[in-house]
PDB file of all heavy atoms in Angstrom:
ATOM      1  N   ILE A  66     -42.356   9.239 -41.001  1.00 88.00           N
ATOM      2  CA  ILE A  66     -40.898   9.132 -40.988  1.00 88.00           C
ATOM      3  C   ILE A  66     -40.343  10.401 -40.347  1.00 88.00           C
ATOM      4  O   ILE A  66     -40.740  11.504 -40.700  1.00 88.00           O
ATOM      5  CB  ILE A  66     -40.338   8.963 -42.413  1.00 88.00           C
ATOM      6  CG1 ILE A  66     -40.862   7.664 -43.047  1.00 88.00           C
ATOM      7  CG2 ILE A  66     -38.802   8.940 -42.395  1.00 88.00           C
ATOM      8  CD1 ILE A  66     -40.424   7.463 -44.484  1.00 88.00           C
ATOM      9  N   HIS A  67     -39.455  10.234 -39.401  1.00 86.00           N
ATOM     10  CA  HIS A  67     -38.887  11.399 -38.730  1.00 86.00           C
ATOM     11  C   HIS A  67     -37.399  11.178 -38.504  1.00 86.00           C
ATOM     12  O   HIS A  67     -36.900  10.060 -38.585  1.00 86.00           O
ATOM     13  CB  HIS A  67     -39.597  11.660 -37.404  1.00 86.00           C
ATOM     14  CG  HIS A  67     -39.626  10.488 -36.469  1.00 86.00           C
ATOM     15  ND1 HIS A  67     -40.440   9.399 -36.665  1.00 86.00           N
ATOM     16  CD2 HIS A  67     -38.937  10.231 -35.345  1.00 86.00           C
ATOM     17  CE1 HIS A  67     -40.265   8.531 -35.690  1.00 86.00           C
ATOM     18  NE2 HIS A  67     -39.353   9.006 -34.883  1.00 86.00           N
ATOM     19  N   HIS A  68     -36.677  12.270 -38.274  1.00 81.00           N
ATOM     20  CA  HIS A  68     -35.263  12.155 -37.950  1.00 81.00           C
ATOM     21  C   HIS A  68     -34.892  13.177 -36.899  1.00 81.00           C
ATOM     22  O   HIS A  68     -35.624  14.124 -36.630  1.00 81.00           O
ATOM     23  CB  HIS A  68     -34.381  12.277 -39.202  1.00 81.00           C
ATOM     24  CG  HIS A  68     -34.441  13.595 -39.893  1.00 81.00           C
ATOM     25  ND1 HIS A  68     -33.752  14.698 -39.461  1.00 81.00           N
ATOM     26  CD2 HIS A  68     -35.117  13.995 -40.997  1.00 81.00           C
ATOM     27  CE1 HIS A  68     -33.987  15.718 -40.254  1.00 81.00           C
ATOM     28  NE2 HIS A  68     -34.819  15.318 -41.198  1.00 81.00           N
ATOM     29  N   PHE A  69     -33.755  12.951 -36.281  1.00 75.00           N
ATOM     30  CA  PHE A  69     -33.297  13.783 -35.167  1.00 75.00           C
ATOM     31  C   PHE A  69     -32.050  14.548 -35.588  1.00 75.00           C
ATOM     32  O   PHE A  69     -31.293  14.108 -36.436  1.00 75.00           O
ATOM     33  CB  PHE A  69     -32.945  12.908 -33.958  1.00 75.00           C
ATOM     34  CG  PHE A  69     -33.810  11.692 -33.820  1.00 75.00           C
ATOM     35  CD1 PHE A  69     -33.324  10.428 -34.107  1.00 75.00           C
ATOM     36  CD2 PHE A  69     -35.118  11.833 -33.414  1.00 75.00           C
ATOM     37  CE1 PHE A  69     -34.134   9.310 -33.986  1.00 75.00           C
ATOM     38  CE2 PHE A  69     -35.937  10.726 -33.299  1.00 75.00           C
ATOM     39  CZ  PHE A  69     -35.440   9.456 -33.583  1.00 75.00           C
ATOM     40  N   HIS A  70     -31.838  15.678 -34.977  1.00 67.00           N
ATOM     41  CA  HIS A  70     -30.603  16.430 -35.212  1.00 67.00           C
ATOM     42  C   HIS A  70     -30.344  17.320 -34.012  1.00 67.00           C
ATOM     43  O   HIS A  70     -31.238  17.546 -33.195  1.00 67.00           O
ATOM     44  CB  HIS A  70     -30.697  17.272 -36.491  1.00 67.00           C
ATOM     45  CG  HIS A  70     -31.808  18.264 -36.466  1.00 67.00           C
ATOM     46  ND1 HIS A  70     -31.675  19.523 -35.958  1.00 67.00           N
ATOM     47  CD2 HIS A  70     -33.093  18.173 -36.882  1.00 67.00           C
ATOM     48  CE1 HIS A  70     -32.814  20.186 -36.057  1.00 67.00           C
ATOM     49  NE2 HIS A  70     -33.698  19.394 -36.604  1.00 67.00           N
ATOM     50  N   ASP A  71     -29.135  17.798 -33.905  1.00 61.00           N
ATOM     51  CA  ASP A  71     -28.794  18.678 -32.790  1.00 61.00           C
ATOM     52  C   ASP A  71     -29.595  19.963 -32.885  1.00 61.00           C
ATOM     53  O   ASP A  71     -29.736  20.550 -33.950  1.00 61.00           O
ATOM     54  CB  ASP A  71     -27.299  19.001 -32.796  1.00 61.00           C
ATOM     55  CG  ASP A  71     -26.459  17.767 -32.537  1.00 61.00           C
ATOM     56  OD1 ASP A  71     -26.967  16.858 -31.860  1.00 61.00           O
ATOM     57  OD2 ASP A  71     -25.319  17.713 -33.012  1.00 61.00           O
ATOM     58  N   SER A  72     -30.105  20.393 -31.753  1.00 54.00           N
ATOM     59  CA  SER A  72     -30.968  21.560 -31.725  1.00 54.00           C
ATOM     60  C   SER A  72     -30.167  22.857 -31.863  1.00 54.00           C
ATOM     61  O   SER A  72     -29.059  22.968 -31.358  1.00 54.00           O
ATOM     62  CB  SER A  72     -31.749  21.590 -30.408  1.00 54.00           C
ATOM     63  OG  SER A  72     -32.490  22.777 -30.307  1.00 54.00           O
ATOM     64  N   THR A  73     -30.773  23.800 -32.544  1.00 55.00           N
ATOM     65  CA  THR A  73     -30.183  25.143 -32.598  1.00 55.00           C
ATOM     66  C   THR A  73     -30.759  26.021 -31.494  1.00 55.00           C
ATOM     67  O   THR A  73     -30.335  27.152 -31.324  1.00 55.00           O
ATOM     68  CB  THR A  73     -30.470  25.794 -33.965  1.00 55.00           C
ATOM     69  OG1 THR A  73     -31.882  25.809 -34.185  1.00 55.00           O
ATOM     70  CG2 THR A  73     -29.794  25.018 -35.077  1.00 55.00           C
ATOM     71  N   TRP A  74     -31.747  25.499 -30.782  1.00 54.00           N
ATOM     72  CA  TRP A  74     -32.423  26.291 -29.752  1.00 54.00           C
ATOM     73  C   TRP A  74     -32.027  25.918 -28.331  1.00 54.00           C
ATOM     74  O   TRP A  74     -32.092  26.726 -27.430  1.00 54.00           O
ATOM     75  CB  TRP A  74     -33.935  26.125 -29.873  1.00 54.00           C
ATOM     76  CG  TRP A  74     -34.540  26.815 -31.057  1.00 54.00           C
ATOM     77  CD1 TRP A  74     -33.873  27.324 -32.136  1.00 54.00           C
ATOM     78  CD2 TRP A  74     -35.910  27.054 -31.290  1.00 54.00           C
ATOM     79  NE1 TRP A  74     -34.766  27.856 -33.028  1.00 54.00           N
ATOM     80  CE2 TRP A  74     -36.027  27.709 -32.536  1.00 54.00           C
ATOM     81  CE3 TRP A  74     -37.064  26.774 -30.578  1.00 54.00           C
ATOM     82  CZ2 TRP A  74     -37.236  28.095 -33.074  1.00 54.00           C
ATOM     83  CZ3 TRP A  74     -38.281  27.152 -31.117  1.00 54.00           C
ATOM     84  CH2 TRP A  74     -38.361  27.808 -32.348  1.00 54.00           C
ATOM     85  N   SER A  75     -31.661  24.668 -28.116  1.00 54.00           N
ATOM     86  CA  SER A  75     -31.373  24.238 -26.747  1.00 54.00           C
ATOM     87  C   SER A  75     -30.396  23.065 -26.789  1.00 54.00           C
ATOM     88  O   SER A  75     -29.955  22.645 -27.844  1.00 54.00           O
ATOM     89  CB  SER A  75     -32.668  23.835 -26.031  1.00 54.00           C
ATOM     90  OG  SER A  75     -33.174  22.651 -26.610  1.00 54.00           O
ATOM     91  N   MET A  76     -30.100  22.508 -25.630  1.00 57.00           N
ATOM     92  CA  MET A  76     -29.146  21.413 -25.550  1.00 57.00           C
ATOM     93  C   MET A  76     -29.776  20.068 -25.904  1.00 57.00           C
ATOM     94  O   MET A  76     -29.080  19.080 -26.078  1.00 57.00           O
ATOM     95  CB  MET A  76     -28.558  21.332 -24.134  1.00 57.00           C
ATOM     96  CG  MET A  76     -27.744  22.572 -23.756  1.00 57.00           C
ATOM     97  SD  MET A  76     -26.379  22.883 -24.890  1.00 57.00           S
ATOM     98  CE  MET A  76     -25.328  21.488 -24.501  1.00 57.00           C
ATOM     99  N   THR A  77     -31.089  19.999 -25.982  1.00 58.00           N
ATOM    100  CA  THR A  77     -31.749  18.734 -26.301  1.00 58.00           C
ATOM    101  C   THR A  77     -32.020  18.640 -27.793  1.00 58.00           C
ATOM    102  O   THR A  77     -32.110  19.657 -28.474  1.00 58.00           O
ATOM    103  CB  THR A  77     -33.081  18.615 -25.530  1.00 58.00           C
ATOM    104  OG1 THR A  77     -33.873  19.780 -25.793  1.00 58.00           O
ATOM    105  CG2 THR A  77     -32.834  18.475 -24.048  1.00 58.00           C
TER     106      THR A  77
END
Side-chain angles (χ1 to χ4, degrees):
I66 298 177
H67 55 286
H68 64 80
F69 326 107
H70 59 88
D71 295 332
S72 174
T73 56
W74 288 14
S75 69
M76 296 302 291
T77 54

